[in-house]
Amino acid sequence: MDDVAKGQNLDDFLINLAEGLSKAQSRLNQYPVMNAMGQQSMVYHIPRMEFELKLQMTTANSTPVGSGRTSSRLAKAKLQFLPVKGSQQQSSSSATSIIKGVMVAAPLDSTVPQIQLSLSVERLSARKAEVKVFALTTADASLKGAVVELNIDRELSAKMGKSALKPSTRLERAALVLDEEGYASAGLVISNQEAEGQIIALIADLFGQSQTLLYRFEQGR
């Protein structure tokens, strides 16, 4: 694996793999499957990842700063792990090992309160709407003062809609502070050049939880 950095502990490689898996799942969460009504119907989930690491373990001497023969006797040997590339030759002070394993998605601890995040949009006028955010915990704990990051996913909007969103289509606020009941809102301004039926993808993030809503722009009567 050329993209795995070297390290002095095997943990370095396992953490690197876990972070990559987490980023892949987060990316999938941003692209839920929508039904004909533009509502989220399901999200893809990575249940497991099998991996194989071929590592070369080498020893490197570490000598403290100083001079003379005394300091040389204080040299310490440290074990260093490097990913093996191609037909790399092995030195006398190194050994190659193959580590195989599986990372399995485990359910969250049911004793820890989980956050439930929801989004809705209310049309105010022809080209103005209000995006409403609501968040609560499974333990009914107050989230007052928590900040929700609200954004327009322009890449997803272009993919699901007729064309790319106009630059002037924007949110009036991106950081929303929840009130005592877990509510917050922000205005959505829609460009005069935006076509009827254009999809606007909204995404909210709170404490690692994400929620996506596809809003279809309709001017109405």
Side-chain angles (χ1 to χ4, degrees), residues 138-213:
T138 54
D140 294 328
S142 176
L143 291 171
K144 180 180 179 180
V147 178
V148 179
E149 294 292 334
L150 183 63
N151 292 286
I152 296 176
D153 189 330
R154 295 183 178 272
E155 182 180 347
L156 181 58
S157 299
K159 181 178 179 180
M160 302 298 295
K162 296 182 177 181
S163 61
L165 292 178
K166 302 299 185 290
S168 54
T169 294
R170 59 181 177 83
L171 290 165
E172 292 182 331
R173 288 191 299 158
L176 310 184
V177 180
L178 297 177
D179 61 18
E180 189 171 353
E181 296 182 348
Y183 286 95
S185 63
L188 172 63
V189 179
I190 302 169
S191 171
N192 291 330
Q193 286 74 47
E194 214 68 80
E196 182 89 4
Q198 174 65 44
I199 296 295
I200 302 174
L202 302 165
I203 181 169
D205 293 283
L206 175 63
F207 299 148
Q209 298 292 326
S210 297
Q211 183 67 33
T212 302
L213 174 69

Side-chain angles (χ1 to χ4, degrees), residues 77-98:
K78 291 186 177 180
L79 191 62
Q80 189 176 63
F81 293 86
L82 295 168
V84 177
K85 300 178 181 180
S87 58
Q88 182 175 330
Q89 293 184 350
Q90 182 176 314
S91 65
S92 58
S93 60
S94 66
T96 301
S97 177
I98 298 178

